[in-house]
Amino acid sequence: MPRKVPPTREGWYALHDFRTIDWNAWRDAPERVRTNALTEGTEFLQAHENVIDAEDGSSAVFSVMGHEADLLVVHFRPEMNDLDTAERAFERTGFADFTERTDSYVSVTEVGGYTSDEMVKDPEDIEDTGMARYVASKLYPNVPDAEFICFYPMSKRRTAEDNWYDTPFDERAEMMSSHGEIGKGYAGKVTQIITGSIGMDDFEWGVDLFSNDPTHIKDLLYEMRFDEGSSRFAEFGSFYFGRRFPPEDLPAFMSGEEVPVPEDAHPHGDSHGHAHADSGSERPHGEGGHHHGKSSGEGDEADEPGDIRGELEDLDIYAGQPHGEDVYAMVLYSEEDPDDLFEDMDGLRKNFDHYDTHVKTAVYGGGNRSAVVSIWQTQSAAETAGGFLADLPGVVARAGEESGFGTMGMFYTVKPDKREDFVDKFETVGGVLADMEGHFDTDLLANHEDENDMFISSQWRSKEDAMEFFRSDAFSDTVSWGRDILADRPRHVFLA
C-alpha cells in the first residue's frame, strides 16, 4: 500500500546556469571582439536582472570559486518558456562564444505540506498574514541581497535499510519539522530557497543558501548533517560556492579585478546598489522594485514615497533607520492582550538573541493597541526577523490610504522619578498635535518589562506635516524640557 504523499505547491521556475571561461580564447581574441562580447554579455545580464524579458521574476550573476565553474547565472521566472528563452538568448551573445556550460539545474520553487496544510494553499487564500507572506516569498523569490551563494542538489535516500519514501508519514513529518527548527536558528544569517526537480533534473531538489558570511552557511549545513533527516536519508550532488557581483562589473571580472568593483573606483562614484562585504553597511538592491524606508537626513531619496513606505509595509511592519544611527528599527502593531503578546514575542526573542546583529525586541503597551519593536544592526537581519514577527497573534494593518507617508516612531528612556511628569507632558503635547494639520493620531506606549522605556507612535498624512511639528515651538519647548527628564538621547525615526 502506498505511503501518504505530502501535498506541494509550486511557484516560479528556476534555472541555474554554470559556465567556465575559455581564458586562452579570450586572451587571443582581438580587442574589438572582446569589447563587443563584454557589451553584449553585460546587456544580457542587466536586462535579465531588471526582468525586462518577463512579467515578473528575479535574476543574478555570481563569480564561482574553485574549478567547477567560473560564472553562475540564476534565473527565477513565472513560466518555463521564460527560462527557455533566456537560455537561448544568452547563447546568441558574443560573450557566450567564450564560455562553456559545465553544469546546469532546472527546477521549480516549492513548498511542502509536511507541517501544515495551510502551507500549500495559494498565498492569497491563507488567512494568516504572516504565513501568507512567508509562502509567497518561497514561491516567488527575489534573489536575496547577500554576497555569497551556495547551491547544491539533493535527493532522499531509497535503499533497503533507509528508504525515505517507505517511511511512515508521521515519522517523515517529525524529521522535516526538526530540520526546519535548525533552519530557524539561522534566521537573519542565512536565507534559503528550495526548488523541486523531480522529472526536471537528476536530483529531487535544488537548494540555494544565501548569506553575507560564508561560515554561516557552513555552520548551518554542518549542524543539519547531524539531523536524522540528513544523516540517514539525504544524498547530495556537487556543491557550488560563489560571490555575487552586479552585471556592469563583468569587464572587471574578465580582467581579473576585484568584484564587486569598489564604489570609489567607478567614474563619478556610481553605485551599483549591491551590498559590499567590506563596506560596513547594507544597501537596498534594485530587485523587483522593492525599497526600504530611510530616516530623515540620509539623502534626497528619503523623500520619495517608495523609499519611505518600504517593502515591509506588506507585512504590516514599519521599518526605518533612527537618525544618525546604524541600527534598523521595525515596528508592528497588535490588538492581542499585551501579556499574551509578550509571551509569544519572548519565544522569538530568545531565538533572536543568538545573533550578534540583534539589538533589542520588546512589547510596548498602554494604548488602544500594543506595539512590538525590534531593532537590528543590519537591514537584512531585520527583514528576515520581520517574517517571524508577522506571525505574532493579533497583528493588524495600520498602513492604508489614511496613513500617508509620515508614520513616525519616537523612543525615549525616562528617568524613573520623572515618569509621571513625562506622561503629563505627553498629554499636553497631545493636545497640540490634535490641532495640527495632517496629524491623525499619536499613542504613548510603555515597555512591558520596563515602564520607563517609552515609545510614541505618531501617524501623519505626510512627512512634511510631521516635519512641521518638529519645527514648531511646542516641539522645541518639549526638547528643552526633556533634557532634565530623559535618561538617554531619544531616537526619532520615520517608519515605513
Side-chain angles (χ1 to χ4, degrees):
M1 181 177 179
R3 296 291 186 183
K4 180 179 178 181
V5 179
T8 62
R9 176 169 287 275
E10 289 71 36
W12 286 348
Y13 295 92
L15 172 65
H16 291 69
D17 190 356
F18 296 90
R19 301 274 171 162
T20 57
I21 306 297
D22 185 341
W23 294 107
N24 289 330
W26 181 256
R27 283 188 289 267
D28 293 340
E31 181 67 26
R32 61 176 178 79
V33 174
R34 292 200 301 267
T35 299
N36 180 69
L38 289 172
T39 298
E40 293 186 4
T42 300
E43 288 177 350
F44 171 88
L45 295 172
Q46 287 177 326
H48 285 76
E49 193 161 301
N50 292 328
V51 196
I52 68 171
D53 61 304
E55 292 185 359
D56 212 338
S58 182
S59 295
V61 59
F62 301 84
S63 170
V64 179
M65 286 163 277
H67 72 284
E68 296 169 306
D70 294 311
L71 286 173
L72 164 61
V73 183
V74 178
H75 301 291
F76 294 98
R77 291 295 186 273
E79 303 293 339
M80 184 69 86
N81 64 282
D82 296 328
L83 299 182
D84 178 37
T85 302
E87 190 173 21
R88 289 182 286 108
F90 179 78
E91 294 292 355
R92 293 196 300 270
T93 67
F95 183 73
D97 294 341
F98 295 96
T99 73
E100 179 181 350
R101 172 180 281 166
T102 53
D103 203 352
S104 65
Y105 207 79
V106 179
S107 54
V108 61
T109 57
E110 174 187 286
V111 291
Y114 269 115
T115 57
S116 171
D117 291 338
E118 288 286 300
M119 290 284 288
V120 294
K121 291 183 178 180
D122 187 315
E124 294 183 357
D125 297 330
I126 299 176
E127 293 184 2
D128 186 296
T129 303
M131 179 177 287
R133 299 297 180 186
Y134 173 81
V135 171
S137 72
K138 297 301 181 183
L139 295 178
Y140 318 116
N142 281 328
V143 178
D145 186 17
E147 182 178 5
F148 298 100
I149 183 176
C150 172
F151 172 79
Y152 61 93
M154 64 167 292
S155 295
K156 289 298 187 182
R157 186 167 293 140
R158 294 192 301 268
T159 63
E161 297 80 14
D162 295 310
N163 189 330
W164 175 263
Y165 296 97
D166 199 35
T167 302
F169 179 87
D170 290 345
E171 294 182 24
R172 283 179 278 139
E174 184 176 350
M175 284 186 278
M176 292 299 292
S177 177
S178 173
H179 210 63
E181 287 301 313
I182 295 175
K184 289 180 182 179
Y186 288 81
K189 294 183 177 181
V190 180
T191 301
Q192 176 180 262
I193 297 177
I194 301 295
T195 56
S197 50
I198 295 176
M200 296 181 183
D201 222 305
D202 295 339
F203 286 77
E204 296 171 344
W205 290 276
V207 181
D208 286 295
L209 301 176
F210 301 88
S211 180
N212 283 317
D213 186 335
T215 62
H216 291 334
I217 295 175
K218 171 191 171 294
D219 291 345
L220 168 61
L221 292 174
Y222 179 68
E223 186 173 348
M224 283 188 167
R225 291 296 171 95
F226 291 90
D227 184 68
E228 186 178 13
S230 289
S231 63
R232 283 186 58 195
F233 294 104
E235 295 182 341
F236 301 99
S238 297
F239 282 70
Y240 296 89
F241 203 87
R243 293 180 64 243
R244 186 171 182 178
F245 67 90
E248 52 266 41
D249 284 355
L250 183 62
F253 171 84
M254 295 301 293
S255 297
E257 300 171 5
E258 178 183 355
V259 292
V261 173
E263 188 171 325
D264 58 5
H266 282 275
H268 313 299
D270 291 342
S271 170
H272 301 310
H274 188 78
H276 294 252
D278 60 352
S279 67
S281 63
E282 298 190 21
R283 295 182 295 278
H285 196 275
E287 306 158 346
H290 297 309
H291 301 277
H292 301 276
K294 299 180 180 179
S295 64
S296 58
E298 286 195 85
D300 294 338
E301 290 181 17
D303 290 330
E304 293 298 323
D307 288 323
I308 295 170
R309 278 189 176 277
E311 176 184 352
L312 292 175
E313 180 181 315
D314 292 337
L315 291 175
D316 301 328
I317 297 173
Y318 305 102
Q321 192 170 9
H323 180 63
E325 299 186 46
D326 292 330
V327 296
Y328 197 77
M330 308 176 65
V331 179
L332 60 85
Y333 295 91
S334 172
E335 293 181 342
E336 186 76 4
D337 178 81
D339 292 332
D340 295 335
L341 181 63
F342 173 80
E343 185 175 344
D344 287 308
M345 180 281 299
D346 193 44
L348 281 177
R349 185 171 61 181
K350 289 175 181 176
N351 289 329
F352 292 165
D353 284 339
H354 288 102
Y355 310 124
D356 295 338
T357 53
H358 180 236
V359 178
K360 169 184 177 180
T361 299
V363 169
Y364 291 78
N368 295 324
R369 331 179 171 193
S370 298
V372 177
V373 175
S374 192
I375 302 176
W376 296 78
Q377 291 179 2
T378 67
Q379 181 173 322
S380 63
E383 291 170 353
T384 302
F388 294 97
L389 292 169
D391 289 333
L392 290 171
V395 171
V396 292
R398 190 157 178 137
E401 293 181 0
E402 77 282 358
S403 67
F405 301 119
T407 304
M408 290 176 49
M410 290 162 278
F411 305 87
Y412 299 95
T413 302
V414 184
K415 294 178 181 178
D417 59 336
K418 300 293 186 178
R419 185 181 188 280
E420 186 174 341
D421 293 338
F422 183 86
V423 174
D424 291 342
K425 185 68 172 182
F426 171 78
E427 293 178 356
T428 301
V429 175
V432 175
L433 291 173
D435 296 331
M436 294 203 69
E437 182 72 19
H439 175 258
F440 291 136
D441 63 84
T442 296
D443 293 321
L444 175 63
L445 307 175
N447 190 328
H448 191 75
E449 302 163 275
D450 179 6
E451 65 174 8
N452 299 311
D453 177 10
M454 314 291 284
F455 171 67
I456 296 178
S457 168
S458 192
Q459 201 82 6
W460 298 79
R461 178 180 57 198
S462 69
K463 180 178 178 180
E464 289 70 27
D465 290 326
M467 290 304 298
E468 282 298 314
F469 169 65
F470 275 117
R471 289 188 285 264
S472 69
D473 292 338
F475 182 75
S476 179
D477 292 343
T478 302
V479 171
S480 299
W481 170 84
R483 292 191 180 98
D484 297 327
I485 297 295
L486 302 179
D488 199 359
R489 181 172 62 89
R491 285 170 164 167
H492 291 186
V493 55
F494 277 95
L495 303 169

